[in-house]
Amino acid sequence: MFTEERRSFIIDFLRKKGKVTVSELTKQLKVSSVTIRKDLDFLEANGILVRTHGGAILPDHSRSEWNFLKKIHQRENEKKRIAKKIISLIEDGDTVILDSSSTNYYATFELRKADLSMVTIVTNNVFIAGKLIELGIEVLVLGGVVRENSLSLVGPWAVRFLEEINVDKAFLGTTGFSVEKGFMTPSVVEADVKKAMIRSASKVYIVTDSTKFARNAFASFALPEDIDGIITDEEIPREYEVFLLEKGIKVYKV
């Protein structure tokens, strides 16, 4: 059985049962536990399942987001490289939006090393705000309702705040991307805040690992023409890279 066939079997098996164990899958597929764990890790990185001790379960709901603290460690190495590029694009004196993307969490650690003394950060994530405050950086936190799973502040108060400010650069995460729908997020209220961030920024960058391409989410928040650049890893599918370049978007691969 080929890798893709095996992973399709795992997905179907999981949908029928709701949960699976590594030992069950090794018996069903007659492969090693190491191979099954690699398959489960791959499927988790692509948002299809949630790893548990000894197995996996389906996410609670197709539109639900994973807990922010869990998302931090998915594709961790890629996110760290993307975070370094984020900081390289920030200049002293800039006012910058970092949204609630788990990639932006790693940008707070890169800020510790950066020679930037006059930067102001605007964020709608309470966890990221806490990390920035530890650095002594001037932080503006949006008002609104805190979403439990993403730790982000959303709603009309957040949008109204963004309508009153102008920033130099915005770095926004995405849950999915398609040629037809553009950049997407699982939540309508998150999408509204991201749209307001885009309107308030002179330059807009999408920060995402390559697994988000060809993945759909519930609500669109930006088309390619709305952004200036995208920071991703080397594994971005070639067809999407070409499409974005043809749209005049700078693609940074790290």
Side-chain angles (χ1 to χ4, degrees):
M1 185 179 289
F2 294 111
T3 300
E4 289 304 316
E5 292 177 306
R6 191 174 63 246
R7 289 172 179 169
S8 294
F9 176 90
I10 292 171
I11 294 167
D12 290 339
F13 193 70
L14 185 57
R15 284 174 178 163
K16 289 174 184 175
K17 297 193 63 179
K19 62 180 180 178
V20 294
T21 65
V22 172
S23 61
E24 282 179 316
L25 292 172
T26 56
K27 291 175 184 176
Q28 289 283 336
L29 294 166
K30 295 180 172 56
V31 295
S32 70
S33 60
V34 172
T35 298
I36 293 299
R37 288 191 181 95
K38 286 181 179 178
D39 286 339
L40 295 179
D41 288 343
F42 175 86
L43 294 170
E44 181 181 50
N46 282 273
I48 295 168
L49 54 77
V50 178
R51 293 281 272 115
T52 61
H53 181 68
I57 60 173
L58 287 173
D60 289 340
H61 193 282
S62 61
R63 281 175 52 190
S64 67
E65 294 173 291
W66 292 3
N67 181 281
F68 181 78
L69 300 175
K70 291 180 181 177
K71 289 197 294 181
I72 285 171
H73 300 294
Q74 297 166 19
R75 311 283 293 189
E76 183 173 342
N77 291 333
E78 290 87 346
K79 289 175 181 178
K80 287 179 177 178
R81 294 198 301 271
I82 293 168
K84 288 181 181 179
K85 187 62 184 179
I86 290 172
I87 301 308
S88 76
L89 294 173
I90 298 175
E91 301 172 279
D92 221 8
D94 277 350
T95 301
V96 176
I97 288 175
L98 296 178
D99 80 345
S100 61
S101 162
S102 56
T103 301
N104 282 334
Y105 165 81
Y106 288 105
T108 66
F109 290 91
E110 293 302 320
L111 275 170
R112 295 176 189 268
K113 311 170 192 175
D115 185 22
L116 298 168
S117 59
M118 298 291 291
V119 173
T120 300
I121 305 291
V122 180
T123 187
N124 70 321
N125 183 277
V126 294
F127 198 67
I128 289 174
K131 293 296 179 184
L132 292 168
I133 290 168
E134 291 174 7
L135 302 180
I137 292 173
E138 184 175 0
V139 185
L140 282 73
V141 183
L142 302 187
V145 178
V146 180
R147 300 191 69 232
E148 182 179 358
N149 287 337
S150 62
L151 300 180
S152 57
L153 289 148
V154 296
W157 286 104
V159 172
R160 187 177 302 177
F161 184 99
L162 289 161
E163 289 172 348
E164 299 297 324
I165 64 172
N166 299 294
V167 303
D168 298 295
K169 293 155 188 167
F171 297 92
L172 311 180
T174 187
T175 304
F177 174 79
S178 74
V179 171
E180 297 80 13
K181 297 290 187 179
F183 300 96
M184 294 171 275
T185 183
S187 163
V188 172
V189 288
E190 290 269 16
D192 286 342
V193 172
K194 287 177 184 285
K195 288 175 183 177
M197 288 175 169
I198 290 169
R199 291 193 296 268
S200 72
S202 296
K203 288 189 176 181
V204 178
Y205 299 90
I206 297 294
V207 297
T208 180
D209 68 76
S210 58
T211 64
K212 305 300 172 56
F213 291 93
R215 182 191 294 182
N216 287 319
F218 186 68
S220 297
F221 66 88
L223 295 173
E225 50 263 38
D226 297 322
I227 72 165
D228 298 281
I230 184 163
I231 310 172
T232 188
D233 59 71
E234 294 280 357
E235 301 302 316
I236 177 176
R238 179 61 182 165
E239 62 269 28
Y240 289 105
E241 181 182 2
V242 170
F243 173 78
L244 292 166
L245 290 170
E246 288 177 347
K247 291 288 186 180
I249 296 164
K250 178 69 175 177
V251 178
Y252 300 93
K253 297 191 294 182
V254 296

